[in-house]
């Protein structure tokens, strides 16, 4: 069962990512993604091992961004693959059936391609402009979600992502979207997790 709220780690250094991830777990997050960019593989592996220790102690699911081999090495719960990462089918063969595999999409075509490749969830966005991610795809907004969800008619959870704040959640969920992934808003105010969960559940 996939949670309706995923916290995506943020921070200036790997240590800050871990601190923010721990704060999120303390505040009730049960599904978190370690998203380290511009770090060498060894640093990501070491940080992922520490993230696994933290999430294990809170019984929270851990997703590793991009690096599926690291996800397996640290016994994470899954991996999130960007559009330019390895094919989910290849990753599934490597990880096995028990791992969660998520993929990034911006259009209905992207979603259908991921559904054909049997991902466990789709991160669809961006909802709005965000500085968290470079090379941002076109913004979808509520109308974009409504159109794509209607077209897909899928049981696979679609998770909205990209600059989402508390006040956006009700409107997003009303489009038929399953859940949301949040980074900046929770990093700034970790106590907002309870409010996100209340609206989502």
């Amino acid at each position: 069962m996939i949670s309706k709220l995923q916290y995506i780690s943020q921070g200036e250094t790997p240590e800050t990512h871990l601190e923010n991830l721990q704060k999120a777990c303390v505040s009730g997050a049960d599904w978190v993604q370690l998203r380290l960019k511009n770090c060498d593989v060894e640093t990501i592996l070491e940080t992922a091992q520490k993230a696994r220790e933290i999430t294990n102690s809170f019984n929270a699911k851990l997703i590793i961004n991009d690096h599926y081999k690291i996800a397996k090495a640290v016994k994470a719960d899954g991996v999130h693959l960007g559009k330019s990462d390895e094919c989910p089918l290849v990753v599934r063969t490597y990880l096995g059936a028990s791992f969660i595999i998520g993929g990034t999409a911006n259009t209905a075509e992207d979603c259908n391609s991921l559904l054909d490749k049997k991902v466990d969830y789709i991160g669809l966005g961006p909802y709005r402009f965000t500085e968290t991610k470079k090379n941002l795809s076109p913004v979808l907004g509520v109308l974009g979600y409504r159109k794509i969800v209607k077209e897909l008619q899928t049981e696979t959870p679609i998770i909205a992502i990209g600059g989402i704040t508390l006040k956006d959640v009700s409107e997003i969920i009303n489009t038929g979207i399953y859940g949301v992934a949040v980074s900046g808003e929770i990093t700034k105010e970790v106590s907002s997790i309870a409010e996100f969960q209340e609206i989502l559940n």
Side-chain angles (χ1 to χ4, degrees), residues 12 20 33 47 52-53 67 70 73 88 96 102 113 115 125 136 139 154 157 169:
E12 293 295 318
N20 288 331
Q33 180 187 149
T47 311
R52 179 72 287 185
E53 289 170 18
H67 296 271
I70 289 178
S113 173
L115 293 170
L136 205 63
V139 168
T154 179
V169 178

Side-chain angles (χ1 to χ4, degrees), residues 6 8 33 35 80 104-105 122-128 130 133 140 145 159-164 172 179-182:
Q6 184 186 83
I8 301 178
Q33 180 187 149
R35 185 176 183 274
H80 185 89
T104 294
I122 293 171
L124 180 62
Y127 171 68
R128 69 158 56 88
T130 167
K133 194 167 183 178
L140 293 174
Y145 285 128
I159 308 292
I161 183 168
I164 294 168
I172 290 173
V180 298
V182 181

Side-chain angles (χ1 to χ4, degrees), residues 31-118:
W31 191 28
V32 300
Q33 180 187 149
L34 179 66
R35 185 176 183 274
L36 277 179
K37 296 290 187 183
N38 306 317
C39 288
D40 58 75
V41 172
E42 195 174 321
T43 302
I44 295 171
L45 175 61
E46 287 172 9
T47 311
Q49 285 167 334
K50 291 174 186 169
R52 179 72 287 185
E53 289 170 18
I54 293 168
T55 49
N56 271 345
S57 64
F58 289 94
N59 204 23
K61 284 190 169 61
L62 173 66
I63 301 291
I64 305 294
N65 184 263
D66 298 346
H67 296 271
Y68 65 96
K69 292 182 179 177
I70 289 178
K72 187 165 190 176
V74 304
K75 297 185 174 68
D77 295 284
V79 64
H80 185 89
L81 302 169
K83 289 169 80 171
S84 58
D85 290 331
E86 186 59 89
C87 170
L89 294 173
V90 174
V91 175
R92 175 67 71 201
T93 301
Y94 184 85
L95 292 178
S98 63
F99 279 75
I100 299 167
I101 297 178
T104 294
N106 176 242
T107 63
E109 290 74 23
D110 293 341
C111 291
N112 279 319
S113 173
L114 289 169
L115 293 170
D116 287 344
K117 291 165 186 165
K118 310 293 182 195

